[in-house]
Every structure is written in structure tokens, then in C-alpha cells.
Amino acid sequence: MKPRVAVFDFSSCEGCELQLFNLEEKFLDLIKIVDVVSFREGMKEHSDLYDIAIIDGSIMRPMDAERLKVIRKNAKTVVAIGACACIGGVNKLRNQWTSENVKREVYGDADLEGNPLFDVFPAKAVDEVVKVDYYVPGCPIDRAEFTKVITAIAMGREPRLPNYPVCVECKLRENQCVFELGMFCLGPITRAGCNAICPTHRDGCAGCRGFLEDANMDALKDVLRKYNVPMDKWLKRFDMFNCKIKREK
Amino acid sequence: MKSMTKDQWFTFVDGLIQDDTRDIIGVQSKGKRFHFGFLESVQDLRLDHDVTLLPPKKFLLPTHEELFRFDISKLFEVSCSKPDRPQILIGVHPYDVIAIQQMDAVYQNPPVDDIYEARRKNTLIIASDILSIADRSFAGSLGNHVVTSGYDLLVTDLGDTVVIDEGTTAGRDLLKDFGEFQEALTPEIERVKRLRAELPARYKHKLKIDKFRWTELLLNNYTHPIWDENARKCFSCGTCTLVCPTCFCYDVDDVMDMNMKEGKRVRTWDGCLLRDFTLIGSGEIFRRAPVDRYRHRFYRKGVYLPRRFGFVACVGCGRCATQCLSDIADPLNVMNTLAASSVEARMDLPIPHEEPHRQKGPVFMPKSATIIRKEKMTKTDTFYEIELDSKEPLGHQPGQFVEVSIFGIGEAPISIASAPEAGRSSFELLVRRVGNVTTHLEALNVGEKVGIRGPFGNGFDVERLRKRDLMFIAGGCGMAPMRSLVNYVLAHRSEFGEVSLLYGCKDPDSILFNADLNVWKTRSDIVQKFTVDYCQDGVCWDGNIGVITNLIPLVDFDPVKTAAIIVGPPVMYRFVIKELKNRGMTDENIIVSLERRMKCGVGKCGHCQFNGVYVCLEGPVFNYGDIKDLPEAF
């Protein structure tokens, strides 16, 4: 029996779901090993009977949290895909302001009182609301990594994310370090798995896959100082996908 | 010595490129730096490079290399096509030639890595003299700025002419087949000699301590503050190991094709600086602190490899120094600092009993085997009887281990739980469900196939134990390898003195081999004591409750005549050994079996190493006295 897969989106640009279609002919191979039973971006049909739920996007509202809890209950396995779902990503930038301030900034004086669509709490990663079994991090996700994780789950094998920094993949691709090119990079503290795509294209890593559990932040700060990177620049880059600042609960 | 005009040289290289039978790999520019890549045009070849980003090891041990293919839709199907495409590396600097010689020594040391060997046999090396010196290189201080062997041809680009030294007949044949050349003139040879002679003085960075004294210096400085100071700045990013021409540890993993039928076992580069390098299925990480990983790299280069092979495994290329962002990887800085501020706290870090290895044939190819009996023993442990499909006996000693493969999932080291018996072709394993492989093993049934490699390692030396009193101390699933020895001893009972068995488990439900224990209980010639950490309510238990060390005072033994054999979880050893020593037992009478991440089984991949010791070669069974002073052992 092929595992039944459903894809759900929350607050995100849905680019990670688009990445699944970007698999092109490999997507056709993928649906030979799994049955896709729900995927708003790709099909009209929907079923609540699924084994694997794939979640794209951050959780921003009580109504989203409720929907997510139902999905968790239905699914045997929950896979978070993309920076928004895995770590909150850019959505968490918004947590630097109160919800009131954000609403005023975006919607001005419009009357949103009592409208559940606008009832928001600070942005959360999926695992801040329900248990997540596996992650495919990144903004957007790496297609090869996604396939690897799904085939592993289909094999009944636990997919493991690399526990080492992006530098490893950068070295394997024999890139010149972007620090040497006059730029800066969060690669030394960021979880690998993207095949160092940004440094390979001569751009510093922005940390979209999340920082490593035992990332050496102090060492990176020393390096940034050594290379004279202005602090406001690197602080902004730290926050882009990994914003920890919170104004309200 | 031969010489070519520049035009003749270009024609020679062009001829090699046009000849389709080989891959021609040469140094090319990459941005402001250099790399080894497939040559498409002779114009791309550079001989004025300072150093390449990655060393040429990537063409001998590719970053991602298929070991064999399998098909899981068939009962047991593996196929291996060894690398057979000939290749020529052009522009290899002397320090890299020396690094390749070191890699040859390690990989072709028995048990020979047959995949590496196949690739190496098909490789010709056209070395080139150093024209530009890399900013952080100190090869001059190590004498690695020149080479006298290890190449097929050695070229020196003098601008107008290229002088060529023929290192091997294969090199000479290549020259004959593809090139037009002359005998080198005396002035040309003089220019080459001068170029080489002037090199050392051109190095900005100089080592203040002779490389032959590195081992001594490191042995005196295991506790030097530099390790902690530098490790604080370490990202554990592995850059220093990846770019190093003499770091060649690897990981092995199974990758499935999208059809979920076929797949391949691949090896990929790994490095001891990465956190999970020593991670085992149960979650234990043996070299967890960054400082231990940081220090290990230097000791491998300066102590462990020199001890085994006689060479210092640093060639002074300067790649790690250039590419380490925190600039802590440079052996020159570390050695010079140690030399200037040696703490003189001597540690020996010995490597116990190196023994010749019996492994022969392809090292990675598992043998087909069938599960002929399976018994669930506890919630997490399953017992298997397995037979090689060739019906050959495994040929193991008590205490050895095998690598068990499930294609598509991977391979795991499992200790053998049965004693070798004459005429018996099957063997037994006890498998605890901890990782991917063991979880899948649990789901396999009688009649299904697994792959087996081994037996590996050194087991219990039963000859040395003969006539002695024996005390077996087992904790948890340490009972599995212990059972192979206990059964052996009981089968040859008259050859041994007093025998006792102390066995501790988490709770009564996790006790393994109840059937064996019941048989042993009927014998009066083996004293048995049991303990559990705790006993659930309502469970019948007539043994002790508490830690295993509590059992030791219950046994009457003569510490001089008795050998204690300890197998258990890592945490157990320290306490048990302390208790035994309190009772007057000497180090020589204590034997232990250690758990590590044995991956290749043949002493190459590096994962099971503690200090200079490969558990898969010298272990897993050790005399405590041989390893007690190794800081990474317990």
C-alpha cells in the first residue's frame, strides 16, 4: 500500500509547494511511491484520510492552530517543509511589533474588530503548536532533500538532517569562501542540506535552514568583526529567518 | 631528464586530452583560486598555481562514491563495478604527491580497500614543481617542497621549456606515446636544481620545531591550554579536514533510487571535527566536546598515524590555515606555540597489540545470509540465528562482531552472541532496537536475507584465559558478547578454574538469554549473581536490587588468580573497575570490551577511533592495562 499524502498550507508564499511541482518529471516518479490525496495548489480533490501530512507555512492565528491540530490527529506522520513551517522564518520578523501595531501598519484604520481572519497571535513554527516528526527546512526547500525525506519515510527509515554547518557542503563544492569575496555568510552556524546553494552562487548564507543546535555564535561574531562587517548588517541577517525577538506572548 | 619546448608540451597535453581512453584532470583557475578539474583544453591548464582549494584526493576518494548497487525487490542482489576508467592528474605539487603516498599507505595497508586500490591503479600522476608559494604553506619547513618518488612524471615549467623527470615506466611510456621531447640540456637541469634549492628560503612561514619531534611535543602537551582556547573559536564545520590532503575518513550510507527498488551504498567524505562523527545508534556521542574533536585532528596527524605508518600526516600545504574562518586550524601555529610553551605533561597514548588481519577480498561487499531462527527476547531486544548462504562457518572468536546489512537502510555493527562450535555453520546475534538498521532487523522474519561482513576485530583471547579463574561482569546487552565467551568456557569447563558470572540489568523484564541462564543455573561449576536497577511492582524477582558493583562483594575470588571480563554500557566500566581494584585486582587481570561506531570494520573510516586505537582492529576486546591511560577510552 502506498502511503497517502496530503499537503497543507498556512502563512507562507507557498513557494515550497511550488518546489514540489518544480521536481517536474521526478514528481511523476514521486507519485508512483505515494498517493497524493489533498494538495490545494495542485488538485481539486480532497480527502481527510492520509498517512503523511506535509505542512507549509507558519501558524499565525488561533483558527490556524485549530486546523493544524485536526491535521495532526488525522496524520500518522507530520512533515514540516520550508523555513516558515520549520522555524517560523520571515514570518517571525513580525513578532518584533505588537499585533496592534502590525495591523495598523498594514490595514490603517480599517475596522477589523471581531473578524476572526484578523485575529492573530505572534508567528509560530509548526512545532510550537503540534508535534512534528520530520523537517525539510530551507527557503525554499531543496527539492532533492524533499525527495530524500519522502522516500526515507516511504521506506520506513528515519530521515536525518545534517547536523553540521553549510561550510561542509561549500567545501565539497570547492567554493571560494564568500568572506574572501568581500561578503559575509551565516554558513558556519547554519544547518547544511541545501548543498550550499547561496555561497555557490556567490551570495552569503542567510540562515534559512535554521541555526545548528550547538552553533558557535561567539566565534561567528568574532569572524564578522575580523572582516569588518557592520554590526547592523549582520544583526539584520541573523533576524531574517531566525528572529528571536518577541514583543508579546 | 627530458625537456620539451612549450609548444611540444602543449601538443603533449593536447594529445592526452584528445585521447578518449582516459580522464585528464589538471589544475585550473577558479575565481582567484585554483582547483583540479577535467581538462577540456590545454589552455585551461595552469602550472603556476600556488595551491588548489581541494587536494587531488577527490579523484582517488571521490566526495561521493558508489561502493555497490543492490536491488531490494530481489531476495539478495548486489553488484559491484569497480572504478575502471583510467585517469591522469596533471599539476600535482610535491606536498600533494607525498599526501597521496600517505593515503596509499593507509588504504592499501591490509585489509586493502579494494575500491580505492582499483582507482589508484588506474591513476597516473604528472607532478609539477612549485612555482608560486601559497601564502600559508610551510611545506618548505617539512621538506615537502620537493619529491623524489610517488609520481609518474614530474614537470618543471621554466617558462620557455618544460623539463620532465620520468618517475616510472608508465610515465616514460606516456611520454613516448604522446610526446615529442629531447634530452634535457645541462643548463636546463641546473635551472631546475636552482629553482628547487631556492624554494625553502621563499617560504614566509617557518616551523620552529622539526617534524620528527612533533610526536614528542604532542605527547607532552595533551593538556596544554591551547586546545581549549582554540576550540572555543571552532565552528565544528569540518573545513580543516575536508580541505586536508591527509584527512581521508569517510561515512557510508544507502541511497535508494526513486523507483524504491534499486539503490546503492555510497561512501561520502566525513571528518572528525563534525559533531556526529562518533555518534552511535543509541545516541551516544563519544567525542562530544568541541575541544576533543579539535585536538584529535592534531594528534591523528602528529601521533597516531606516525605511530602506525612512520610519517607525519601533515604536508604543510596550508589549505586548512587559509580556509579556516577562525584561523585556528594551522598546524604551524599550533606546533610553534606548543614548542614555545610546552607544559611537559607526558602522556604515552599507546596503541595496543597491532595484529595481522585476516580479512581478504572485497572489503565492502556483504555476504548473503539467512535468518533461520528469531526470538523476541525483551521489548527492545531480538535474538537471531543466522547462517551464511554459502554454509561456511563464520569462523569467529568469542567477542568479535559482524556488520549486518539491510539494503536500502544501511549497516550496523553487532556483536556475536554464540560461541564458535566445530562443525556449526550458523551464528547468533542479539539486536537491540536503537537505530534505523536495528529497527528494520526487528521486522525481518525467518527465511529473510541480510548481508553479513566480518567477523571483525579482536575477540577474547581464550588461550590467555585458560587455567585462570574467571569473573564475567555483564551489564545490559553487554550480555550478548559475554554469552559467546561464557558458552565457550562452559563447553571447555575443565580447562578453566573457578568461574563466576555477575549480570546487571535495568529491570527483570530486560534480562536477556533467560533460557541460557536457566541452563547455567543447573550447573554447580559457575557462580551466578544477578541484580536489577529497579523492580516493577508485582514482578517476581529473587536477585539483588541496585547497581552491578554491589554484586562484586558477594563473590569470593582471589584477585591474583582471577581475570575479570567486563562488558556493558560505557558508564559501567569506571565504577566496576574501581571496585575491582579496591579488591586488589591489578590492571593486567581486567579485560574489557568497548562500544564505538564501527563503520568500515577495516580501520580506514575513522569513526571507531579513540585516541590512536581503532576499536574495529585492535578491539573491541582490550586488556584494561593497555588502554587505561588513554583519555578517550572510558
Side-chain angles (χ1 to χ4, degrees):
Chain A
M1 262 269 285
K2 292 197 280 183
R4 294 163 65 88
V5 173
V7 184
F8 299 99
D9 37 35
F10 290 85
S11 294
S12 68
C13 72
E14 298 181 16
C16 289
E17 288 163 73
L18 209 52
Q19 279 289 72
L20 306 191
F21 297 113
N22 288 342
L23 282 166
E24 297 180 347
E25 64 265 42
K26 284 210 183 103
F27 188 75
L28 300 177
D29 292 331
L30 197 62
I31 56 176
K32 280 182 199 151
I33 59 168
V34 294
D35 271 329
V36 182
V37 299
S38 183
F39 191 173
R40 192 191 54 80
E41 203 170 273
M43 62 198 269
K44 286 184 188 142
E45 299 85 344
H46 167 79
S47 164
D48 282 325
L49 293 174
Y50 43 83
D51 305 301
I52 304 171
I54 294 172
I55 315 284
D56 176 21
S58 309
I59 312 305
M60 313 285 272
R61 303 174 296 193
M63 59 187 289
D64 296 337
E66 290 318 305
R67 178 172 162 238
L68 181 63
K69 285 174 190 162
V70 173
I71 295 170
R72 175 72 260 192
K73 222 174 263 172
N74 290 344
K76 286 194 199 99
T77 308
V78 169
V79 185
I81 63 165
C84 299
C86 294
I87 54 172
V90 287
N91 288 316
K92 282 210 168 176
L93 280 170
R94 166 197 162 307
N95 296 357
Q96 298 174 79
W97 296 275
T98 64
S99 299
E100 286 318 306
N101 283 343
V102 173
K103 276 191 234 171
R104 202 171 315 122
E105 179 72 23
V106 179
Y107 300 104
D109 296 331
D111 182 18
L112 307 172
E113 201 50 45
N115 186 338
L117 294 176
F118 294 90
D119 177 15
V120 291
F121 52 57
K124 288 177 181 170
V126 173
D127 63 6
E128 290 173 75
V129 181
V130 297
K131 180 179 171 278
V132 171
D133 300 294
Y134 306 116
Y135 299 84
V136 185
C139 181
I141 56 165
D142 181 82
R143 299 191 286 263
E145 189 179 38
F146 176 81
T147 340
K148 224 166 93 184
V149 169
I150 293 300
T151 43
I153 297 173
M155 280 286 289
R157 175 183 167 171
E158 187 163 333
R160 288 196 51 205
L161 293 177
N163 238 333
Y164 47 75
V166 175
C167 299
V168 170
E169 290 166 346
C170 217
K171 294 300 164 305
L172 292 178
R173 294 190 72 164
E174 215 166 1
N175 293 328
Q176 198 177 348
C177 184
V178 294
F179 277 96
E180 263 182 43
L181 300 171
M183 290 175 270
F184 75 100
C185 183
L186 304 189
I189 54 167
T190 301
R191 186 189 296 282
C194 53
N195 209 6
I197 184 165
C198 295
T200 302
H201 292 89
R202 299 177 156 244
D203 196 2
C205 169
C208 73
R209 296 176 55 85
F211 298 154
L212 285 157
E213 198 185 309
D214 40 14
N216 196 339
M217 294 302 216
D218 291 338
L220 185 65
K221 286 173 191 165
D222 286 346
V223 168
L224 291 163
R225 284 185 207 108
K226 186 171 94 182
Y227 282 90
N228 293 318
V229 183
M231 195 193 272
D232 61 318
K233 267 193 166 176
W234 53 261
L235 284 180
K236 271 186 192 160
R237 179 87 65 92
F238 271 41
D239 279 349
M240 191 154 127
F241 286 100
N242 297 276
C243 186
K244 301 267 190 287
I245 309 160
K246 248 188 195 174
R247 285 278 175 252
E248 58 180 302
K249 283 225 171 112
Chain B
M1 299 268 255
K2 304 284 185 277
S3 92
M4 284 184 179
T5 64
K6 234 4 188 331
D7 280 342
Q8 287 173 325
W9 165 251
F10 285 142
T11 312
F12 169 63
V13 176
D14 194 47
L16 295 176
I17 296 172
Q18 298 311 322
D19 177 51
D20 257 351
T21 58
R22 296 182 175 95
D23 286 333
I24 309 301
I25 294 140
V27 177
Q28 305 167 40
S29 68
K30 181 162 187 173
K32 285 183 183 147
R33 296 201 174 269
F34 298 92
H35 77 131
F36 279 95
F38 293 103
L39 272 183
E40 280 169 15
S41 154
V42 62
Q43 304 303 328
D44 297 335
L45 178 67
R46 297 281 294 266
L47 293 179
D48 60 339
H49 61 293
D50 54 356
V51 66
T52 53
L53 284 158
L54 284 182
K57 74 172 172 182
K58 65 175 181 172
F59 288 101
L60 297 170
L61 185 76
T63 56
H64 192 94
E65 180 182 41
E66 179 183 308
L67 298 175
F68 57 78
R69 292 192 61 80
F70 49 78
D71 183 340
I72 59 169
S73 68
K74 309 266 171 60
L75 212 49
F76 187 95
E77 191 163 294
V78 270
S79 59
C80 171
S81 50
K82 281 198 189 155
D84 56 358
R85 173 102 179 142
Q87 56 183 2
I88 302 178
L89 302 172
I90 310 179
V92 183
H93 272 168
Y95 49 80
D96 277 339
V97 171
I98 291 161
I100 291 172
Q101 286 178 305
Q102 298 191 353
M103 204 162 151
D104 289 348
V106 172
Y107 274 74
Q108 300 186 2
N109 184 47
V112 176
D113 185 314
D114 50 307
I115 307 247
Y116 176 88
E117 190 184 41
R119 206 179 288 277
R120 185 66 184 89
K121 267 190 189 148
N122 282 318
T123 305
L124 292 181
I125 293 172
I126 302 184
S128 88
D129 263 316
I130 301 169
L131 303 180
S132 337
I133 290 174
D135 186 41
R136 297 292 294 269
S137 174
F138 58 100
S141 299
L142 298 168
N144 293 343
H145 58 296
V146 283
V147 267
T148 50
S149 65
Y151 52 82
D152 297 285
L153 294 173
L154 169 62
V155 301
T156 317
D157 185 354
L158 292 173
D160 43 354
T161 53
V162 176
V163 176
I164 303 177
D165 180 34
E166 297 157 322
T168 61
T169 45
R172 183 172 308 146
D173 292 344
L174 197 69
L175 212 53
K176 255 198 311 218
D177 294 346
F178 291 90
E180 251 180 59
F181 53 87
Q182 307 80 39
E183 284 302 317
L185 305 171
T186 314
E188 287 170 343
I189 295 172
E190 284 307 313
R191 279 169 70 192
V192 171
K193 277 188 185 158
R194 201 167 340 117
L195 180 109
R196 289 177 192 161
E198 285 169 358
L199 266 177
R202 289 171 56 202
Y203 281 86
K204 258 197 303 196
H205 299 286
K206 300 212 163 51
L207 200 55
K208 296 196 179 96
I209 176 155
D210 189 278
K211 70 172 169 187
F212 299 109
R213 292 185 51 219
W214 281 26
T215 304
E216 227 17 61
L217 186 64
L218 286 167
L219 291 177
N220 283 333
N221 286 287
Y222 200 84
T223 52
H224 194 283
I226 191 175
W227 309 120
D228 265 316
E229 275 163 35
N230 282 355
R232 272 201 288 277
K233 300 180 209 155
C234 181
F235 291 111
S236 298
C237 70
T239 294
C240 53
T241 58
L242 296 164
V243 303
C244 177
T246 65
C247 275
F248 22 71
C249 292
Y250 59 82
D251 199 4
V252 178
D253 199 7
D254 284 6
V255 178
M256 289 303 293
D257 295 347
M258 276 298 279
N259 64 19
M260 302 289 278
K261 252 178 63 187
E262 290 146 277
K264 56 189 173 183
R265 183 155 293 171
V266 293
R267 73 163 145 203
T268 50
W269 285 9
D270 205 344
C272 59
L273 265 289
L274 305 181
R275 196 190 77 143
D276 287 356
F277 188 71
T278 54
L279 170 77
I280 58 168
S282 62
E284 184 112 12
I285 297 177
F286 289 96
R287 229 177 272 123
R288 184 179 275 279
V291 59
D292 293 335
R293 301 196 291 269
Y294 175 75
R295 179 174 40 212
H296 179 75
R297 172 169 169 264
F298 291 94
Y299 279 72
R300 179 182 173 274
K301 299 208 174 302
V303 180
Y304 310 145
L305 282 177
R307 282 253 169 93
R308 270 173 209 270
F309 295 98
F311 51 70
V312 169
C314 168
V315 293
C317 66
R319 287 183 178 97
C320 58
T322 315
Q323 299 193 49
C324 173
L325 269 177
S326 294
D327 200 359
I328 51 168
D330 190 356
L332 177 101
N333 283 345
V334 170
M335 291 303 157
N336 283 351
T337 308
L338 291 184
S341 61
S342 176
V343 296
E344 300 294 325
R346 172 81 189 188
M347 265 190 194
D348 263 336
L349 307 179
I351 300 171
H353 58 84
E354 277 187 73
E355 280 181 22
H357 300 286
R358 294 174 298 271
Q359 244 74 53
K360 283 205 182 76
V363 294
F364 294 106
M365 194 60 96
K367 289 181 196 151
S368 152
T370 307
I371 299 174
I372 56 176
R373 191 155 64 97
K374 177 188 176 188
E375 246 171 68
K376 191 109 176 96
M377 229 162 224
T378 71
K379 246 183 262 165
T380 51
D381 302 278
T382 313
F383 171 84
Y384 298 88
E385 186 175 348
I386 292 172
E387 188 176 47
L388 293 178
D389 290 343
S390 63
K391 309 282 180 206
E392 280 170 304
L394 187 64
H396 67 288
Q397 318 159 250
Q400 284 192 300
F401 67 96
V402 287
E403 293 278 352
V404 181
S405 272
I406 301 180
F407 297 131
I409 307 296
E411 205 174 35
I414 312 279
S415 30
I416 303 160
S418 54
E421 288 168 46
R424 181 179 174 188
S425 61
S426 68
F427 58 95
E428 292 157 2
L429 303 177
L430 179 93
V431 181
R432 174 161 290 181
R433 186 184 65 222
V434 283
N436 269 321
V437 176
T438 47
T439 304
H440 274 80
L441 253 177
E442 200 182 24
L444 292 186
N445 291 313
V446 171
E448 294 196 81
K449 303 282 179 193
V450 290
I452 297 288
R453 289 195 302 132
F456 292 113
N458 265 309
F460 298 103
D461 185 350
V462 285
E463 289 312 314
R464 262 198 61 207
L465 297 177
R466 224 172 281 274
K467 302 224 164 66
R468 308 274 313 256
D469 289 354
L470 303 177
M471 185 158 142
F472 304 115
I473 306 175
C477 54
M479 193 61 205
M482 191 68 94
R483 176 178 177 260
S484 71
L485 181 62
V486 175
N487 274 337
Y488 180 89
V489 168
L490 293 182
H492 304 79
R493 187 63 189 87
S494 60
E495 299 166 24
F496 299 90
E498 300 292 319
V499 176
S500 55
L501 168 68
L502 316 184
Y503 179 30
C505 270
K506 203 171 68 193
D507 53 51
D509 286 348
S510 9
I511 289 182
L512 302 167
F513 301 111
N514 272 311
D516 292 271
L517 296 177
N518 287 335
V519 173
W520 299 345
K521 265 181 202 158
T522 62
R523 296 181 69 136
S524 57
D525 54 1
I526 171 168
V527 176
Q528 294 160 77
K529 302 282 174 200
F530 304 100
T531 188
V532 292
D533 293 344
Y534 62 90
C535 182
Q536 308 93 317
D537 289 338
V539 176
C540 174
W541 175 246
D542 59 359
N544 290 66
I545 293 183
V547 291
I548 189 151
T549 41
N550 295 351
L551 296 180
I552 298 173
L554 305 181
V555 183
D556 185 27
F557 66 95
D558 176 352
V560 181
K561 280 170 64 190
T562 308
I565 296 109
I566 314 170
V567 194
V571 53
M572 194 181 98
Y573 291 94
R574 203 167 300 162
F575 298 103
V576 170
I577 290 168
K578 194 171 161 221
E579 184 63 30
L580 289 174
K581 294 184 74 167
N582 284 346
R583 292 285 302 272
M585 196 173 267
T586 56
D587 296 340
E588 287 64 42
N589 285 345
I590 301 175
I591 294 157
V592 295
S593 173
L594 298 188
E595 189 180 12
R596 284 297 185 278
R597 183 180 173 196
M598 286 84 88
K599 191 92 201 183
C600 69
V602 289
K604 314 276 192 248
C605 81
H607 290 95
C608 69
Q609 202 177 8
F610 67 84
N611 294 106
V613 182
Y614 291 107
V615 175
C616 70
L617 295 183
E618 283 91 42
V621 175
F622 295 97
N623 297 319
Y624 175 67
D626 291 343
I627 56 166
K628 69 180 165 69
D629 294 327
L630 296 172
E632 291 183 346
F634 295 100

